[in-house]
Amino acid sequence: MGDTDFRLVLLRHGETEWSRARRHTGRTDVPLTPLGEEQARAAGRLLGTLELRDPLVLTSPKQRAVRTAELAGLTVDRTDDDLLEWDYGDYEGITTPEIQRTAPGWTIFTGEVPGGESAAEVGARADRVLASIEPDLNARDVLLVGHGHFSRALIARWAEFDVREGRRFFLSTGAVSVLGHDHQARTVLAHNLVPALNGGDR
């Protein structure tokens, strides 16, 4: 079996009060909402349909990611600080419309982040994550449980785009993306898979 047969799967944590309000949630350790917990359980059911092969499971150390992994029924091999969300610095807890009042047109992918990480720094961190799991991807699937913006940066770097192109890959809370290969080229096999809640009842 060749290395191109294995997949890199990304799971964004379930909803939090801050994500529901669209507040930038970087290093603040906020818990899941009841809906976020339901999303995590539903994500576990969706992941089961992927039939992952002996997956290496890594998670951000933040409780919203660790709890999502737990509720999804995952056995976590270790937490990884490199999977932390983008450090929003002075913009922590603030929404994009609020930031745009003083920085018109600002987005996390295209603007400056005072006191936080630059896009280049996030891209370097994403590259470090991808390099660290490459040996495992030669032998097994890999599942990373983390955050919205950093997962989007990972997708961009996997696809060999500049990290700023993560703006093209919206990712819902509790959603799954599947990365892999096609004819040895890195590709996005599936993106923003949002699991049905309550086993598909709604």
Side-chain angles (χ1 to χ4, degrees):
M1 185 176 289
D3 62 342
T4 57
D5 293 317
F6 295 100
R7 295 161 291 173
L8 171 59
V9 179
L10 307 181
L11 169 61
R12 183 184 177 190
H13 65 75
E15 181 195 75
T16 68
E17 291 289 354
W18 279 30
S19 69
R20 180 164 59 193
R22 301 187 69 83
R23 296 169 65 182
H24 285 91
T25 318
R27 304 308 163 88
T28 304
D29 204 4
V30 293
L32 299 178
T33 62
L35 175 59
E37 294 188 346
E38 190 176 351
Q39 289 173 334
R41 286 188 285 267
R45 295 191 292 271
L46 188 155
L47 290 169
T49 69
L50 296 180
E51 298 181 344
L52 298 176
R53 290 161 292 178
D54 186 31
L56 171 71
V57 181
L58 306 180
T59 180
S60 158
K62 294 299 180 183
Q63 62 172 312
R64 57 193 184 275
V66 172
R67 181 64 173 155
T68 294
E70 176 185 343
L71 291 172
L74 301 172
T75 299
V76 176
D77 292 282
R78 63 178 183 270
T79 61
D80 187 343
D81 287 347
D82 275 340
L83 293 176
L84 286 166
E85 180 58 294
W86 202 307
D87 185 346
Y88 299 120
D90 296 350
Y91 291 154
E92 181 78 0
I94 303 175
T95 67
T96 293
E98 289 171 332
I99 296 166
Q100 289 176 342
R101 292 173 190 163
T102 55
W106 183 91
T107 75
I108 188 64
F109 289 104
T110 59
E112 300 300 318
V113 186
E117 285 182 294
S118 67
E121 288 170 331
V122 169
R125 185 154 58 89
D127 289 347
R128 189 162 64 239
V129 168
L130 295 176
S132 73
I133 63 174
E134 186 174 2
D136 288 281
L137 275 176
N138 289 330
R140 64 202 297 204
D141 293 319
V142 175
L143 174 57
L144 305 179
V145 185
H147 307 274
H149 283 143
F150 187 69
S151 292
R152 292 166 69 178
L154 277 171
I155 295 168
R157 294 305 300 143
W158 174 265
E160 300 175 5
F161 298 145
D162 185 273
V163 69
R164 293 180 187 275
E165 296 310 310
R167 59 191 168 145
R168 316 283 185 186
F169 300 103
F170 178 81
L171 192 61
S172 302
T173 51
V176 171
S177 285
V178 184
L179 311 179
H181 295 84
D182 179 52
H183 299 293
Q184 288 74 54
R186 287 181 174 186
T187 190
V188 179
L189 299 173
H191 177 61
N192 203 37
L193 302 176
V194 179
L197 302 182
N198 292 333
D201 293 339
R202 67 180 190 185

